[in-house]
Amino acid sequence: MEKIEILKIESLSRAPLVIEGYLFKGSNPKAPRVAIIGAMEGDSILPLYCASSLVDFFKNKIEEEKIKGDILIIPSINHYALNIGKRFWPLDNTDINMMFPGYEFGETTQRIAKKVFDAINGYDYGIILERRPDPATCVPYIKLYKSGYEDLLAAKRFGFKLIHHRTMKSIDTVTLQYNWQLWGTKAFSVICPSDNQVDKKIASQINQAIIRFMDKSKIINYHIFNGYESTIMDRNTISIVKSPKSGIFIPKELAGNYVSKDQIIGEIVDSLEGNIIHQFLAPCNGMITCFYSNSLIYEHAVAFRIARIG
């Protein structure tokens, strides 16, 4: 393993920001190469944990000869935000994942994005560990933009239950996934629940999926059990259930559970009087992909998303 410095920014008031990557050299120069990006935001705890666990796996738990292609892991990019529990870059509240491919003479986050992109550009595959931006507990899944550069067949190698094949918005053209793909890397976003507590079971599912992908892509020689036959979903196949009232939210079903049409899947309790003021009914047969993760829910908030079956 080689620990490499991606970027160093001096600070007047605290220690320098040093972004480091862990490079595991493969034994076969013709094998595909992969780069893995962990936490780009200060509240991306599960992506940080998953990336650091992968560093430990390749450093201590797999024989070197089983690593065929180069593997670069950058567990964290936005240390300053992580240290103070802030989501975006603390100095100007900008999102690093909205700054790619970066600009070396631009604002600080543009310069960070440029240095990171220079280090990861040219890899055959790219994996981005992302936290859901909304307060939602979800099943881990792959997010792929309908960019014209996406590789759905390769995305199925992860073995997740779902692949969200998303229509692009104009703002998505400055994300890492799109720019990576634009420059020839087959990039995938692995979406993690937004909870800030580490769920080791979910983390294990995510890391097993990444290892499964690398094995099936011939980056490593490390066989594990097959995953799911991934279902490709888009916005037209997902039903959204919104809250008609505010109050205390109590989900009855969890992400990943299958439900039937008109089944009670959650309720809202009056926050002052304690009586049930609304029951959520499943609008269709399907699987709950995510549900609202806060105990207090607001009117018109998205309570559930359900991937429809049939």
Side-chain angles (χ1 to χ4, degrees):
M1 183 199 79
E2 180 185 355
K3 193 173 180 180
I4 60 176
E5 184 177 292
I6 308 293
L7 169 70
K8 183 175 182 179
I9 297 178
E10 298 293 341
S11 172
L12 294 174
S13 57
R14 61 187 306 162
L17 170 70
V18 181
I19 299 173
E20 295 172 315
Y22 296 82
L23 178 63
F24 299 88
K25 295 292 291 183
S27 58
N28 182 359
K30 295 183 178 179
R33 304 188 305 150
V34 64
I36 301 171
I37 302 296
M40 281 193 277
E41 299 169 338
D43 54 2
S44 296
I45 308 302
L46 190 55
L48 175 68
Y49 177 77
C50 288
S52 62
S53 298
L54 286 171
V55 172
D56 177 61
F57 174 80
F58 288 109
K59 183 179 178 182
N60 300 312
K61 297 173 183 175
I62 183 175
E63 296 87 347
E64 285 186 19
E65 61 270 16
K66 291 191 174 183
I67 302 175
K68 303 302 180 184
D70 292 355
I71 301 167
L72 174 64
I73 304 174
I74 305 177
S76 170
I77 292 175
N78 198 346
H79 308 341
Y80 282 0
L82 277 164
N83 287 340
I84 61 174
K86 196 172 171 62
R87 184 179 178 191
F88 296 132
W89 182 250
L91 300 181
D92 60 7
N93 206 36
T94 52
D95 184 355
I96 294 174
N97 197 27
M98 290 290 162
M99 295 293 163
F100 288 95
Y103 177 50
E104 61 184 326
F105 300 112
E107 298 296 329
T108 305
T109 44
Q110 290 177 304
R111 297 181 185 213
I112 292 171
K114 177 68 166 61
K115 285 288 189 180
V116 171
F117 196 72
D118 286 347
I120 61 178
N121 194 14
Y123 277 78
D124 299 283
Y125 296 103
I127 300 171
I128 309 154
L129 290 157
E130 292 188 31
R131 172 191 184 272
R132 276 190 68 100
D134 55 342
T137 298
C138 66
V139 293
Y141 63 93
I142 296 291
K143 179 185 75 179
L144 269 183
Y145 295 130
K146 295 180 180 179
S147 63
Y149 303 101
E150 72 273 27
D151 190 335
L152 282 169
L153 287 178
K156 290 186 174 183
R157 296 178 201 156
F158 287 92
F160 284 118
K161 286 185 176 181
L162 296 176
I163 298 171
H164 187 191
H165 198 201
R166 242 193 66 181
T167 301
M168 280 194 66
K169 302 174 183 177
S170 57
I171 196 172
D172 295 326
T173 58
V174 292
T175 61
L176 175 55
Q177 183 190 132
Y178 177 76
N179 281 276
W180 228 348
Q181 290 175 343
L182 195 63
W183 288 82
T185 295
K186 295 181 179 180
F188 314 91
S189 294
V190 176
I191 304 301
C192 307
S194 62
D195 309 322
N196 277 334
Q197 295 296 321
V198 170
D199 186 325
K200 296 192 76 171
K201 181 179 177 181
I202 297 295
S204 178
Q205 290 175 12
I206 292 169
N207 282 0
Q208 285 177 33
I210 292 173
I211 292 167
R212 182 183 300 114
F213 172 83
M214 285 195 273
D215 176 55
K216 289 180 179 293
S217 301
K218 303 188 184 305
I219 300 166
I220 62 174
N221 181 19
Y222 190 87
H223 303 308
I224 63 174
F225 289 115
N226 286 325
Y228 295 94
E229 183 71 31
S230 301
T231 299
I232 299 172
M233 311 295 294
D234 60 19
R235 189 169 186 176
N236 296 323
T237 52
I238 297 176
S239 292
I240 295 176
V241 181
K242 293 188 177 183
S243 173
K245 302 174 183 292
S246 60
I248 297 172
F249 176 60
I250 302 175
K252 298 287 188 179
E253 299 290 340
L254 303 178
N257 287 5
Y258 291 91
V259 295
S260 302
K261 190 176 187 300
D262 295 329
Q263 178 182 336
I264 297 173
I265 56 176
E267 60 190 25
I268 299 175
V269 173
D270 189 291
S271 55
L272 298 179
E273 299 182 8
N275 57 303
I276 296 172
I277 56 176
H278 179 72
Q279 288 186 321
F280 293 98
L281 303 181
C284 58
N285 298 327
M287 186 187 75
I288 294 175
T289 62
C290 68
F291 65 91
Y292 193 76
S293 60
N294 289 345
S295 296
L296 287 176
I297 196 167
Y298 302 100
E299 187 177 0
H300 303 309
V302 175
F304 296 93
R305 285 184 171 87
I306 300 175
R308 292 197 298 274
I309 297 175

